[in-house]
Amino acid sequence: MRVLFATIPEKSHLYCMTPLVWAVRAAGHEVRVASTSQFTEAIAGMGMPAVAVGSNDEITAGMSANRDSQGWESLDWNELDPARLTYDAELERSQLFAFGCAMYNEPMVGGLVDFARAWEPDLVVWDPLTYAGPIAAGVVGAAHVRALCFTDVWVLKRQLFRKLYEQAPADTRRDPLGDYLTGRTADFGGTFSEESITGQLTLDPLPDSLGVATDAVRAPIRFVPHNGTGALPDWVNVRPDRPRVLVSLGASNHERYGGDYVSKTELLSTVAELDVEVVAALLPGQADELGTLPSNVRVVRSVPLNAVLPHCSAFINHGGFGSWATALVYGVPQLVVTTRLAEQLLRAQRVEAQGAGLALETGQTSPEQVRDGIARLVEEPSFRENAARLREEAVSRPAPSRVVPLLERHAQERRAAPWRMPPA
């Protein structure tokens, strides 16, 4: 079987997909991983053949030029209560989402279709924002599967928006994402359906207690942490004498948005007032921005989180899915300090509701609040107990290797006739 994986050029999305890519390859299938030319080095770094399908050097410039966008209401996807949603607000949110999807996908669509025609995959597995994936699958008649790397608010919001759309006056109805995908699908001889958004099948790594219910056909898969590569220092495998608190701010804010949304030196110094060992796992550029720190703060550069977390008592993170889900797998209570971008606050609040962590909003949080939150996570046993309960739920889902037979069957059962362009 030939399996084509497609992802937008975001490391967090690629890393969530990586263990499944390895599992498919280890089962004896041919694998290719496609994204833009700027991303092939990251793909090759995970040990897989990389395919460049277009070029996009505008994403980082756009994000850094709109650094305040993480506070925009139209990029806030955390509210899921139908009673609190309006058609006008959801339409605006859908418009911006469709624009962002086009920004990511337009450079990839043509190249991905051309490669699919040449390589003829049996299955296309796509990151949930890579809508070029189902288009390429349709062109060659391949089955396709969506691999989640966050709470599935995108599909749930889509369903809620469609209900509001049907209730809205006819002359106000617009469906920006549906219109965009209808046009791009038709360009290649296909007919748009909701499967272009939900996938024929969705692989969902979230424990049921933390996920959301949608109409998408889904199958569980275990989240296996992959946080990049790096040499491991000796101290990582030694249990500390006092509680170890890990701090990570992720890569996207620093690399894409032009800087982190918290004062790193102040935050680390304030947390270090506790009787704890603080480990700041940072990118080299983040570490270079630090000032003088207390002696109980250890700064490490580019060390994978999954190597440090097993001996940690608490974890401060920015709300990125990879960091958040890695803490789940290791049963570490987490304090999430995040913006309202996408569904980051929702995920943090879900963990808080389960008693396994605390949620704070960037811009409304002081270093002292973070310190006091960490004191609770370290001192109150219930946080560790609840985090352990969520861990058992998370690791009980099928490992990627056990999902491969499902993908094999799906590829056979959902094979279809390739799309054909109508006669001119």
Side-chain angles (χ1 to χ4, degrees):
M1 181 172 70
R2 289 183 172 182
V3 183
L4 173 60
F5 289 82
T7 180
I8 61 173
E10 294 289 349
K11 289 180 182 177
S12 59
H13 294 224
L14 173 67
Y15 288 170
C16 288
M17 189 179 282
T18 296
L20 179 61
V21 179
W22 288 339
V24 171
R25 181 71 173 270
H29 300 295
E30 291 188 66
V31 166
R32 298 291 185 272
V33 183
S35 189
T36 60
S37 58
Q38 291 83 359
F39 208 53
T40 53
E41 184 177 349
I43 295 170
M46 58 182 264
M48 289 295 158
V51 178
V53 290
S55 175
N56 192 339
D57 56 5
E58 299 178 357
I59 295 174
T60 299
M63 290 180 175
S64 60
N66 294 279
R67 180 169 163 77
D68 63 338
S69 63
Q70 290 206 27
W72 293 356
E73 176 65 24
S74 52
L75 290 180
D76 179 350
W77 289 65
N78 296 282
E79 181 58 69
L80 301 177
D81 181 358
R84 299 174 65 87
L85 304 180
T86 66
Y87 173 69
D88 289 342
E90 292 309 298
L91 175 59
E92 181 182 356
R93 189 167 282 112
S94 182
Q95 287 172 325
L96 191 56
F97 182 64
F99 173 81
C101 289
M103 184 178 179
Y104 272 117
N105 283 270
E106 279 305 302
M108 297 175 57
V109 175
L112 192 64
V113 166
D114 288 344
F115 178 74
R117 283 171 171 158
W119 196 56
E120 297 183 342
D122 302 291
L123 177 67
V124 177
V125 180
W126 48 285
D127 161 84
L129 298 184
T130 309
Y131 296 114
I135 292 175
V139 167
V140 297
H144 64 88
V145 171
R146 188 173 62 121
L148 278 183
C149 57
F150 35 59
T151 313
D152 201 7
V153 297
W154 314 107
V155 164
L156 181 54
K157 280 280 199 181
R158 170 74 179 172
Q159 294 174 192
L160 296 172
F161 171 72
R162 290 297 301 175
K163 291 180 181 178
L164 293 170
Y165 172 95
E166 295 296 338
Q167 297 166 3
D171 60 347
T172 67
R173 293 177 186 172
R174 291 188 55 221
D175 181 5
L177 181 60
D179 291 345
Y180 166 65
L181 293 176
T182 294
R184 293 308 273 135
T185 299
D187 289 340
F188 296 96
T191 301
F192 169 74
S193 76
E194 290 297 310
E195 283 188 347
S196 295
I197 296 174
T198 65
Q200 295 170 339
L201 175 69
T202 291
L203 300 180
D204 190 349
L206 266 74
D208 293 339
S209 62
L210 298 175
V212 296
T214 73
D215 293 341
V217 179
R218 61 186 62 226
I221 186 172
R222 184 188 307 170
F223 176 83
V224 176
H226 174 71
N227 309 121
T229 58
L232 304 184
D234 292 341
W235 59 265
V236 164
N237 296 316
V238 178
R239 189 173 296 278
D241 295 330
R242 53 183 171 173
R244 176 176 291 165
V245 177
L246 177 64
V247 180
S248 173
L249 303 176
S252 60
N253 289 340
H254 181 80
E255 295 178 345
R256 294 291 208 190
Y257 285 93
D260 299 302
Y261 288 79
V262 298
S263 172
K264 294 183 285 292
T265 300
E266 187 178 8
L267 183 147
L268 292 170
S269 298
T270 305
V271 173
E273 294 172 2
L274 301 171
D275 184 21
V276 297
E277 173 193 341
V278 180
V279 176
L282 304 175
L283 298 172
Q286 291 171 321
D288 291 342
E289 295 171 352
L290 294 173
T292 302
L293 294 168
S295 59
N296 60 331
V297 177
R298 184 196 302 268
V299 179
V300 294
R301 292 168 165 79
S302 302
V303 174
L305 300 182
N306 55 293
V308 183
L309 272 171
H311 288 324
C312 289
S313 298
F315 179 30
I316 302 171
N317 66 77
H318 69 299
F321 183 81
S323 301
W324 178 88
T326 300
L328 285 183
V329 168
Y330 286 102
V332 178
Q334 53 185 310
L335 191 156
V336 183
V337 186
T338 185
T339 65
R340 299 186 69 91
L341 179 69
E343 36 60 268
Q344 292 180 173
L345 184 59
L346 172 71
R347 281 191 277 102
Q349 291 172 336
R350 291 285 176 91
V351 166
E352 183 176 70
Q354 292 289 326
L358 297 171
L360 296 172
E361 281 193 59
T362 304
Q364 301 180 21
T365 300
S366 68
E368 289 75 21
Q369 287 175 292
V370 175
R371 178 200 60 203
D372 295 345
I374 289 299
R376 288 190 60 197
L377 297 188
V378 170
E379 296 169 5
E380 298 178 21
S382 63
F383 287 106
R384 172 67 68 172
E385 293 165 0
N386 288 318
R389 173 177 52 79
L390 287 181
R391 177 189 185 281
E392 291 305 311
E393 190 178 350
V395 301
S396 68
R397 299 174 86 79
S401 59
R402 291 175 53 197
V403 174
V404 174
L406 172 64
L407 299 183
E408 294 168 344
R409 293 193 300 272
H410 183 77
Q412 293 177 343
E413 294 170 357
R414 293 303 300 265
R415 185 79 194 182
W419 293 345
R420 297 296 181 211
M421 293 296 295

